[in-house]
Amino acid sequence: MSFTAGLYCRKDVRADGDAETVALLRAAGAIPLVITNTSEVCMWWESHNRVYGRTNNPYDTSKIVGGSSGGEACNLSAAGTPFGLGSDIGGSIRMPCFFNGIFGHKPTRCVISNHGEWPEASDTHQTYLGTGPMSRFATDLVPMVKILAKKDLRLDEKVDLRKMRIYYMEDDGGSPHLSPVDPDIRQAMRKVIEYLSQAHGLKPKKVDFPKLRRAVSIWLAKMNLVGVPDFCQQLANCEGSINLGWELAKWMVGQSNHTFIALMTAFTERFGVQPGTPHYERLFNMCQDLHNEFQTLLGDDGVFLYPTHPTPAPYHNEPVLRPFNFAYTAIINVLGFPATAIPLGLSRDGLPIGIQVIGGLLSDRLTLAMALELEKAFGGWVPPKIDV
């Protein structure tokens, strides 16, 4: 099948073998049907590239599907296939699932293989990147994780929700770089809290992690590593480097084979916090401290409820004006924790909304159990009204 990662110079590339996850699913009886659209080089949260174009949201075609696994989420939401795979290094499973009203799971770091994907992640980036299942139905996630996981996640053990500790935040605490959380998303979170309190006698506790306000800076620092290809090299298929100035000039007259956001990502990369500086080291230490705070709080019986994204699906190209809204998902990648995207119906504008549920290391079974419970309580996937 095609193996482009949305990069024009790879438009004729075909895979010469299965990714390890695909091989495992195929061995279990799954039938690969289709490769779906992504952002260019899988590094933006709108699925648009110069190979296949733009993917539209099935609930409103003027809105985005997210990225990078946006084509997969759209296809699943529109009932094109029963289940699929995505990869997530900054929210690329969870954001598309949120925007398209389906379930998705980013596993604990290094539990599921990322071998056979492109771009190929460095050894350090492998600990941020999570490959995982996506589906309209929560019941599909556990069987898929069982097939894919390299470690025993105790998925056959029954989870007693009454013994689970629940923590939550309705927003990140007020980062000036992010959009305010939409009222419909806040209301959905409150309904979940109320349901868990009344149906299971739980006492969800509102908490505050001040370091979450620095999520964007932490993620950008953790992604900027010495000795790995920069974005200009990625855009050249790691076979040299693009001439950024020339490509920007070509884009201005409609002649570049790259998207505007890919070129802007390459341009701004050089202005970010640089390895070896005191600020870079502070952000790395802050990430480790935040990881320890989360793990201490959650242990092996706690989960953290958090918005997946501050707004429902925005209009096409609007993410350029709100580039850092992905921070709600991205921070979880560099912390390494499992996280499950859970749909909670539609907003007043008819767009999917939901939350993500995060667990401690190797506590995937807790977040997956919460997905099953909230699907029963709130209905899960709502079929889009697609005009034919």
Side-chain angles (χ1 to χ4, degrees), residues 134-326:
M134 304 164 68
S135 177
R136 291 185 296 281
F137 307 109
T139 49
D140 293 331
L141 299 182
V142 168
M144 291 184 71
V145 174
K146 284 183 180 179
I147 293 167
L148 299 170
K150 299 185 291 183
K151 297 181 181 180
D152 181 12
L153 297 174
R154 300 160 54 200
L155 295 175
D156 290 323
E157 295 183 20
K158 183 176 176 59
V159 175
D160 187 348
L161 264 66
R162 294 171 300 177
K163 296 180 180 178
M164 196 181 294
R165 294 180 295 114
I166 311 293
Y167 303 95
Y168 71 97
M169 286 176 64
E170 293 184 4
D171 57 33
D172 72 341
S175 169
H177 304 297
L178 277 61
S179 300
V181 173
D182 186 272
D184 287 345
I185 297 173
R186 288 184 182 273
Q187 184 62 26
M189 175 76 79
R190 291 167 186 168
K191 287 180 179 179
V192 169
I193 298 304
E194 181 180 8
Y195 169 76
L196 294 173
S197 300
Q198 294 182 355
H200 296 283
L202 296 168
K203 297 180 180 179
K205 182 179 179 181
K206 193 172 186 178
V207 294
D208 183 30
F209 288 102
K211 294 181 182 68
L212 287 176
R213 298 171 182 79
R214 303 296 305 279
V216 172
S217 297
I218 292 171
W219 186 85
L220 290 172
K222 295 284 282 188
M223 290 294 291
N224 191 8
L225 301 176
V226 174
V228 301
D230 63 25
F231 208 66
C232 283
Q233 292 172 305
Q234 296 276 17
L235 292 177
N237 197 30
C238 295
E239 297 172 351
S241 179
I242 66 165
N243 183 323
L244 183 56
W246 179 236
E247 288 297 334
L248 284 168
K250 289 166 61 179
W251 183 88
M252 293 292 289
V253 293
Q255 296 301 309
S256 177
N257 289 325
H258 300 289
T259 57
F260 173 74
I261 193 61
L263 297 176
M264 284 297 96
T265 299
F267 177 75
T268 57
E269 182 180 51
R270 64 193 64 187
F271 298 108
V273 59
Q274 296 302 311
T277 63
H279 185 41
Y280 184 86
E281 296 302 323
R282 283 195 297 271
L283 290 170
F284 257 66
N285 292 336
M286 190 181 296
C287 184
Q288 186 59 52
D289 291 344
L290 184 58
H291 170 93
N292 294 340
E293 291 171 18
F294 262 98
Q295 187 61 45
T296 299
L297 180 71
L298 298 179
D300 61 1
D301 63 349
V303 295
F304 176 61
L305 280 52
Y306 197 47
T308 316
H309 200 79
T311 71
Y315 288 102
H316 292 299
N317 297 318
E318 191 176 348
V320 174
L321 304 176
R322 306 176 180 183
F324 300 124
N325 278 357
F326 72 97

Side-chain angles (χ1 to χ4, degrees), residues 332-374:
I332 309 304
N333 291 85
V334 294
L335 296 177
F337 296 122
T340 305
I342 302 173
L344 295 170
L346 304 181
S347 70
R348 284 168 289 187
D349 295 329
L351 295 170
I353 54 175
I355 61 171
Q356 58 178 327
V357 177
I358 298 143
L361 293 178
L362 301 177
S363 293
D364 300 58
R365 66 192 189 96
L366 301 186
T367 69
L368 293 166
M370 187 62 71
L372 287 166
E373 182 64 24
L374 296 184

